[in-house]
Amino acid sequence: MRRQDKADRIGVMLDELYPTQPIPLDHTDPYTLLVAVALSAQTTDKKVNEVTPALFAVADTPEKMAALGPERILELIRQIGLAPTKAQNLWTAAGQIIAAGGEIVPDYAFLESLAGVGHKTASVVMSQGFGIPAFAVDTHIHRLARRWGLSDGTSVEKTERDLKKVFPRDEWNRRHLQIIFFGREYCPALRHDFAQCPICSWASTKKQALLERTPKPARRR
């Protein structure tokens, strides 16, 4: 099956499974979304949503975040993975935003210039904060795109380019969320039964399924 035919069929299935796509991270505007996404690295969305209410109650703007200082920010986000680094980045980024005028603007160069903000975080803010078509590729999407043969998985950057080629621009925002939801519900990273998966069962090659089932050799010490 051609890659484009796979993508078309997958798109139909995802629309049937997830006709609506709620945004997983609680936020009220582009700035609080930026903060929530930055906190979500190596942390579950559930844990982020447990922590941000207390944080946003005292710092839901760059000015308030900068006024808190990194030590107080750390106290509020301590349960989050990599909390010390994230606290420093949130404080630094708040100062950068204030220096640039105090507003989050839908511009990749601006967003990626902020402390702790990479291309994936910027893409999520563009997509979910401003409604601008973007295809934020996280580890889940990267894994599923490889399993389904939509990309060769050589890099996250190439996966993003490949997915943008096979899905129309006006579908990018919802496909990003749908693939994440599908991965969590049907297509986990470990102990995945390809034969029972609604998409892997027909989209994955036998070689890919065998590759993931074959135990990797233990490292020598």
Side-chain angles (χ1 to χ4, degrees), residues 123-190:
S123 295
V124 173
V125 174
M126 293 288 276
S127 169
Q128 299 173 11
F130 294 102
I132 296 172
F135 216 122
V137 175
D138 64 1
T139 55
H140 301 289
I141 294 176
H142 185 53
R143 179 180 73 252
L144 269 60
R146 182 184 67 249
R147 282 179 173 176
W148 298 344
L150 299 183
S151 182
D152 60 17
T154 54
S155 70
V156 171
E157 293 77 16
K158 188 171 187 304
T159 295
E160 180 180 345
R161 292 196 300 271
D162 289 341
L163 292 176
K164 285 181 173 180
K165 288 178 183 177
V166 295
F167 292 116
R169 180 181 173 83
D170 62 357
E171 295 180 0
W172 293 351
N173 289 353
R174 75 175 189 269
R175 291 286 177 257
H176 156 74
L177 290 169
Q178 288 171 331
I179 295 174
I180 290 175
F181 295 155
F182 185 90
R184 291 174 178 174
E185 187 173 359
Y186 295 103
C187 209
L190 302 175

Side-chain angles (χ1 to χ4, degrees), residues 40-78:
S40 70
Q42 299 187 37
T43 304
T44 65
D45 293 346
K46 179 181 178 181
K47 177 57 69 175
V48 172
N49 289 337
E50 291 173 355
V51 168
T52 50
L55 176 64
F56 293 154
V58 294
D60 60 352
T61 68
E63 292 78 12
K64 293 177 182 178
M65 190 71 74
L68 279 187
E71 293 81 10
R72 177 58 178 147
I73 296 171
L74 177 57
E75 291 176 4
L76 291 165
I77 68 167
R78 196 174 296 278

